[in-house]
């Protein structure tokens, strides 16, 4: 009986090729200036040289296409920050500043997809669920580090690790998104350094001493 391994491999390779072509085509069309919400499936399929029915075999709807595009973009956005949170922090504030520079650069590279992700997540439950899950995953990385610092006694013992992690993740993401939307790049370094200072002081800063009250004689 002849082996079916090679035919199956070829089918799998063809499917992966079609998927890559569709994703690349959608990204190129967005790079040309067409907003994601204005990309018709038919135009994407025609430019990718696949049948409309073939498109739907890989992506049941445009939400699934956006999620597939966003996987790489979101990973690139938070990748360097995850590395920093898991490092030893021996390089102090310079290390987190480097991570912020990388996040800003990644956002600029994938800005069209990330903007579409934020827009569509506002009304599409599948895209919103994807975005929440990914943000929750990155928040858990930060919380794990904060919990470890609390156990080591290197941060304020009154810190609420879970809430602090959420505030930091959303502050960074929203700040970079707004910054890249309104700034062409001239303020990137200032923004990176300011975010770095905010993160560092939030985690490792010493809380202010309580005010001294005058004794009543």
């Amino acid at each position: 009986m002849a082996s079916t391994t090679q035919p199956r491999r070829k089918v799998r390779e063809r499917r992966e090729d079609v998927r890559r072509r569709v994703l690349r085509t959608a990204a190129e069309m967005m790079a040309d200036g067409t907003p994601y919400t204005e990309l018709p499936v038919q135009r994407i399929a025609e430019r990718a040289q696949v049948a409309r029915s073939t498109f739907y075999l890989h992506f049941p709807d445009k939400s699934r296409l956006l999620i597939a595009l966003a996987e790489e973009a979101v990973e690139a956005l938070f990748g360097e920050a995850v590395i920093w949170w898991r490092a030893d922090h021996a390089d102090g504030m310079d290390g987190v500043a480097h991570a912020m520079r990388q996040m800003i650069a990644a956002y600029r590279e994938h800005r069209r997809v990330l903007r579409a992700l934020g827009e569509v997540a506002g009304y599409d439950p599948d895209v919103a669920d994807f975005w929440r899950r990914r943000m929750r995953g990155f928040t858990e990385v930060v919380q794990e580090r904060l919990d470890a610092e609390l156990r080591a006694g290197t941060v304020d013992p009154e810190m609420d690790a879970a809430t602090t992690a959420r505030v930091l993740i959303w502050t960074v993401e929203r700040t970079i998104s707004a910054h890249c939307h309104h700034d062409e790049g001239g303020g990137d370094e200032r923004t990176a350094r300011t975010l770095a200072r905010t993160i560092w002081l939030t985690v490792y800063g010493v809380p202010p001493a309580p005010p001294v009250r005058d004794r009543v004689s």
Side-chain angles (χ1 to χ4, degrees):
M1 183 175 180
S3 172
T4 59
T5 302
Q6 188 171 356
R8 286 176 179 171
R9 184 170 63 248
K10 287 183 177 180
V11 169
R12 185 171 61 251
E13 289 173 352
R14 283 197 298 270
R15 288 176 176 171
E16 291 172 353
D17 177 64
V18 168
R19 182 180 175 83
R20 283 193 299 268
R21 275 193 286 142
V22 170
L23 290 172
R24 183 174 64 249
T25 297
E28 289 171 351
M29 293 173 75
M30 293 173 71
D32 290 341
T34 305
Y36 178 79
T37 53
E38 297 178 15
L39 285 179
V41 168
Q42 185 62 39
R43 282 182 56 200
I44 297 172
E46 288 174 357
R47 186 159 165 176
Q49 298 182 328
V50 301
R52 186 185 178 96
S53 58
T54 302
F55 174 97
Y56 284 119
L57 283 175
H58 295 270
F59 306 100
D61 50 43
K62 280 184 64 181
S63 296
R64 295 298 171 183
L65 174 62
L66 178 56
I67 289 170
L69 286 166
E71 286 282 3
E72 179 183 355
V74 172
E75 194 62 39
L77 178 63
F78 285 101
E80 195 69 28
V82 168
I83 292 172
W84 182 79
W85 281 106
R86 289 174 171 166
D88 60 15
H89 295 184
D91 48 4
M93 206 179 295
D94 287 341
V96 66
H98 171 74
M100 294 302 100
R101 291 187 199 100
Q102 296 299 104
M103 286 189 73
I104 291 170
Y107 191 96
R108 290 197 182 283
E109 181 180 355
H110 299 279
R111 63 189 180 279
R112 293 176 180 85
V113 171
L114 291 169
R115 286 177 187 171
L117 177 64
E119 178 183 351
V120 178
Y123 59 82
D124 186 294
D126 290 334
V127 176
D129 180 65
F130 163 80
W131 187 219
R132 283 195 298 268
R133 283 188 290 104
R134 294 309 301 270
M135 291 296 282
R136 187 163 56 245
F138 293 122
T139 301
E140 288 170 357
V141 171
V142 178
Q143 183 177 343
E144 287 172 6
R145 179 54 178 264
L146 297 181
D147 284 334
E149 298 285 8
L150 282 166
R151 290 192 296 271
T154 51
V155 298
D156 179 6
E158 297 299 317
M159 176 187 290
D160 182 324
T163 303
T164 302
R166 287 196 299 272
V167 168
L168 288 175
I169 283 291
W170 284 104
T171 296
V172 169
E173 191 277 333
R174 287 291 81 198
T175 298
I176 290 176
S177 173
H179 167 71
C180 291
H181 185 70
H182 298 290
D183 187 294
E184 293 300 321
D188 285 5
E189 181 61 20
R190 289 192 302 274
T191 300
R193 298 297 301 183
T194 300
L195 282 171
R197 180 178 175 81
T198 300
I199 294 167
W200 188 266
L201 293 180
T202 298
V203 177
Y204 297 112
V206 178
V212 177
R213 298 182 182 276
D214 294 333
R215 290 186 178 181
V216 178
S217 56

